[in-house]
């Protein structure tokens, strides 16, 4: 039996303290009873005898078998007032009695009081009793608290750990923009409600459905919607709740969960963030986490342990399917994988519709325009966006959200909080040239996304920003587009270099260069877009499993490695030259735009393109084809 000593100590310490306190108290009162009802001072035995001889003593009460006495005597120093004293007497002084009789002092003998002894006894008992009571309470408590420490008998009866939710308040209507996933899960509900329809034609009902997708796309929401709509019990637990400090808890929690589920079938089990338990076994230095692996093994066993038609369907969600153990994914367990991806423009519009339901929107708001502005946004981003806009509206004391707040909120969600504009200075001019470098290169290259606005108002980490309107379809990117992006990203540094000279370039391009290098390297090693030919030289590296990927053997030789470097360098250099020549050839336009930008802080895309069009030189070689 494993008992947490920390907890026991915690519990017994107060008991100990109380016990000790009472103990002390009891001892105190078992002592002298004499001083209890009088504030008598002490008198020496010699002085007492002297008083006795001088006839000052009026009465004597003897206590404790004659070992102490309370003496009433007149004190000559206090105008012969009657005073009380306490006197300690010698152990054996029978002559004292005769002396008292001689002096005709009234005296009395009080029998020893047993009370004191009783208190003493109680005091001695009270400590162990309290200790035992404390321990008893502790055990009772821990057996009531689910998964509480110090209980072996039903250690992990996780009563409160997974909830049986009947009403989550979420309906399928609240989930938008992920139609395929929704349909798939709606079918799950049919499995549970009308299994005959499937079994009649010999279909085996799937045991598990795995929802896979980036964070914030609505996986948890979808599961909650099922709970709301299915009309069957719905057990939900998060993967992390299986994993505890104590070995064996997770496994027994899994057992418990499935036991409960079988009692309540037909029902749905929802395991959120399953990657917390479902990670590949045996990965990592030192073999990984034993407890987690036991839990996973138990989960696998349980999933095998019931037949497909038992009326239990397990839905799990994760955003890391790549780290899941392959045994989980094989048919018969999570045999269905439902991808929940970031929504497209239509999906975003539907999600915005859902979240705009409880918001006050001004009539000028076009949800479609917002949807168009936000490629790559997930459901959570969109909901956050509308909320930020509503907060801004309230802060500005407006009646309803207008497009202005929406745009500010998008900027804020994407790039961070707005800072205060710089005062006019040399560095402000340099930042202006840098940003306009991005913007003009981006505008003049045919394959680049169009400029949305250029601004010198700092946001988040950035001192200035150039916004581009990303095209809707980001899934397939051509070589020309990649080259244009690299050139555009180098535009800032190119402008610094071409205008202020080699010595004046700044650290402001650090971030740009990082992106540039990443893109160029991927072109060479993953997309086969260089002279090295169509080879995939590096697999996509997600987060590594320490230990599994750490000692990965390089997939190519030293020679190829240096050729990769050379190719990356040549791509970047080529693009940098392009960017610099675009800057030089459009110097007049840039100079005018810089003055305008410093004056206005922000230039929007339309105005920007107009000004560029007045100056733009279309080069003979058709090196770049302008957007305009
Ligand atoms: P995850 O996929 O990471 O589990 P959630 O389901 O927790 O994401 O989504 C977080 C929030 O984002 C939801 O509560 C909801 O407000 C919003 N949201 C996400 N996706 C959608 C969607 N498809 N439709 C409506 N709202 C969504
Ligand atoms: Mg989630
Ligand atoms: Zn830049």
């Amino acid at each position: 039996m494993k008992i947490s000593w920390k907890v026991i100590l915690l519990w017994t310490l107060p008991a100990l303290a109380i016990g000790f306190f009472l103990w002390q108290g009891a001892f105190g009162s078992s002592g002298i009873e004499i001083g209890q009802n009088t504030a008598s001072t002490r008198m020496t035995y010699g002085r007492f005898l002297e008083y006795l001889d001088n006839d000052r003593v009026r009465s004597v009460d003897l206590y404790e078998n004659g070992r102490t006495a309370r003496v009433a005597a007149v004190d000559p120093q206090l105008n012969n007032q009657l005073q009380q004293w306490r006197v300690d007497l010698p152990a054996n002084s029978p002559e004292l009695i005769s002396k008292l009789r001689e002096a005709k002092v009234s005296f009395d003998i009080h029998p020893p009081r047993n009370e004191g002894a009783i208190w003493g006894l109680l005091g001695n008992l009270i400590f162990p009793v309290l200790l035992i009571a404390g321990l008893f309470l502790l055990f009772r408590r821990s057996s009531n608290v689910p998964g509480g420490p110090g209980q072996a008998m039903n250690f992990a009866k996780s009563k409160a750990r997974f909830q049986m939710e009947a009403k989550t308040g979420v309906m399928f209507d609240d989930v938008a923009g992920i139609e395929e996933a929704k349909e798939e899960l709606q079918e799950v509900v049919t499995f549970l409600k009308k299994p005959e329809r499937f079994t009649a034609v010999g279909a085996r009902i799937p045991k598990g459905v795995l929802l896979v997708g980036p964070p914030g796309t609505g996986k948890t929401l979808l599961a909650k919607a099922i709970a709301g709509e299915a009309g069957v019990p719905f057990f939900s637990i998060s993967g992390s709740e299986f994993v505890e400090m104590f070995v064996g808890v997770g496994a027994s929690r899994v057992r418990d969960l499935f036991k409960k589920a079988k009692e309540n079938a037909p029902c749905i089990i929802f395991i959120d963030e399953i990657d917390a338990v479902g990670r590949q076994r045996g990965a990592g230095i030192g073999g990984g986490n034993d407890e987690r692996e036991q839990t996973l093994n138990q989960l696998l066993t349980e999933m095998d342990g019931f037949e497909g038609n038992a009326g239990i369907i397990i839905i799990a969600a994760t955003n890391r399917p790549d780290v899941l153990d392959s045994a989980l994914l094989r048919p018969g367990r999570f045999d269905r994988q439902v991808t929940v991806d970031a929504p497209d423009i239509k999906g975003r519009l539907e999600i915005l519709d859902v979240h705009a339901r409880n918001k006050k929107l001004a009539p000028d708001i076009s949800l479609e325009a917002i949807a168009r502005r936000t490629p790559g946004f997930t459901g959570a981003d969109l909901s956050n966006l509308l909320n930020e806009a509503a907060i801004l509206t309230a802060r500005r004391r407006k009646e309803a959200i207008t497009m202005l707040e929406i745009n500010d909120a998008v900027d804020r969600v994407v790039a961070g909080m707005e800072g205060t504009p710089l005062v006019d200075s040399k560095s402000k001019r340099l930042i202006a040239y840098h940003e306009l470098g991005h913007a003009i290169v981006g505008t003049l290259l045919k394959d680049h996304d169009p400029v949305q606005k250029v601004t010198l108002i700092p946001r988040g980490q950035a001192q200035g920003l150039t916004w581009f309107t990303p095209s809707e379809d980001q899934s397939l990117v051509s070589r020309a587009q990649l080259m244009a992006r690299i050139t555009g990203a180098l535009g800032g540094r190119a402008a610094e270099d071409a205008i202020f000279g080699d010595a004046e370039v700044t650290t402001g391009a650090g971030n740009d260069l990082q992106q540039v290098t990443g893109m160029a390297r991927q072109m060479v090693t993953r997309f086969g877009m260089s002279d090295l030919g169509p080879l995939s030289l590096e697999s996509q590296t997600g987060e590594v499993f320490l230990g599994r990927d750490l000692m990965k053997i390089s997939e190519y030789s030293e020679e190829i490695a240096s050729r990769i470097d050379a190719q990356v360098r040549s791509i970047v250099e080529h693009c940098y030259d392009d960017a610099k020549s675009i800057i030089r050839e459009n110097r007049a336009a840039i100079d005018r735009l810089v003055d305008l930008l410093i004056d206005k802080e922000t230039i929007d895309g339309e105005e920007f393109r107009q000004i560029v069009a007045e100056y733009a030189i279309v080069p003979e070689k058709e090196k770049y084809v302008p957007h305009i």
Side-chain angles (χ1 to χ4, degrees), residues 214-221 270 272-273 317-319:
T217 44
K219 300 179 295 295
T220 307
L221 190 71
F270 174 55
D272 208 355
E273 317 286 354
T318 181
N319 41 38

Coordinates of all heavy atoms in Angstrom, one line a residue, residues 214-221 270 272-273 317-319, ligand 2:
P214 N -5.5 21.0 -37.0 CA -4.8 22.0 -36.2 C -5.6 22.5 -35.0 O -6.8 22.4 -35.0 CB -4.5 23.1 -37.2 CG -5.1 22.7 -38.5 CD -5.8 21.4 -38.3
P215 N -5.0 23.1 -34.1 CA -5.7 23.7 -32.9 C -6.7 24.7 -33.3 O -6.4 25.5 -34.2 CB -4.6 24.3 -32.0 CG -3.3 23.8 -32.6 CD -3.5 23.3 -34.0
G216 N -7.8 24.7 -32.7 CA -8.8 25.8 -32.9 C -9.7 25.6 -34.1 O -10.5 26.5 -34.4
T217 N -9.7 24.4 -34.7 CA -10.5 24.2 -35.8 C -11.9 23.7 -35.4 O -12.8 23.5 -36.3 CB -9.9 23.2 -36.8 OG1 -9.3 22.1 -36.1 CG2 -8.8 23.9 -37.6
G218 N -12.1 23.4 -34.2 CA -13.4 23.0 -33.7 C -13.6 21.5 -33.4 O -14.7 21.0 -33.5
K219 N -12.5 20.8 -33.1 CA -12.7 19.4 -32.8 C -13.4 19.2 -31.5 O -14.4 18.4 -31.4 CB -11.3 18.8 -32.7 CG -10.5 18.9 -34.0 CD -9.1 18.3 -33.8 CE -8.2 19.0 -32.8 NZ -7.9 20.4 -33.2
T220 N -13.0 19.9 -30.4 CA -13.7 19.7 -29.2 C -15.2 20.2 -29.3 O -16.1 19.6 -28.8 CB -13.0 20.6 -28.1 OG1 -11.6 20.2 -28.1 CG2 -13.6 20.3 -26.7
L221 N -15.3 21.3 -30.0 CA -16.7 21.8 -30.3 C -17.6 20.8 -30.9 O -18.7 20.6 -30.5 CB -16.6 23.1 -31.1 CG -17.8 23.9 -31.3 CD1 -18.1 24.6 -30.0 CD2 -17.6 24.9 -32.4
F270 N -15.6 10.3 -25.3 CA -14.7 11.3 -26.0 C -13.4 11.5 -25.3 O -13.4 11.9 -24.1 CB -15.5 12.6 -26.1 CG -14.7 13.7 -26.7 CD1 -14.1 13.5 -28.0 CD2 -14.5 14.9 -26.1 CE1 -13.3 14.5 -28.5 CE2 -13.8 15.9 -26.6 CZ -13.2 15.7 -27.9
D272 N -10.3 13.7 -25.4 CA -9.7 14.9 -26.0 C -8.2 14.9 -25.8 O -7.7 14.3 -24.9 CB -10.3 16.2 -25.3 CG -10.3 17.4 -26.2 OD1 -9.8 17.2 -27.4 OD2 -10.8 18.4 -25.9
E273 N -7.5 15.5 -26.8 CA -6.0 15.5 -26.7 C -5.4 14.2 -26.4 O -4.7 14.0 -25.5 CB -5.5 16.5 -25.6 CG -6.3 17.8 -25.6 CD -5.9 18.8 -26.7 OE1 -5.0 18.5 -27.5 OE2 -6.6 19.8 -26.8
A317 N -9.7 13.2 -30.2 CA -9.2 14.4 -30.9 C -7.8 14.6 -30.6 O -7.3 14.4 -29.5 CB -10.0 15.6 -30.5
T318 N -7.1 15.0 -31.7 CA -5.6 15.4 -31.5 C -5.2 16.3 -32.6 O -5.8 16.4 -33.7 CB -4.8 14.1 -31.6 OG1 -3.4 14.5 -31.4 CG2 -4.9 13.4 -32.9
N319 N -4.2 17.1 -32.3 CA -3.6 17.9 -33.4 C -2.2 17.4 -33.7 O -1.5 18.0 -34.5 CB -3.5 19.4 -33.1 CG -3.1 19.7 -31.6 OD1 -2.3 18.9 -31.1 ND2 -3.7 20.6 -31.0
Ligands
LIG2 MG1 -9.6 20.8 -28.3

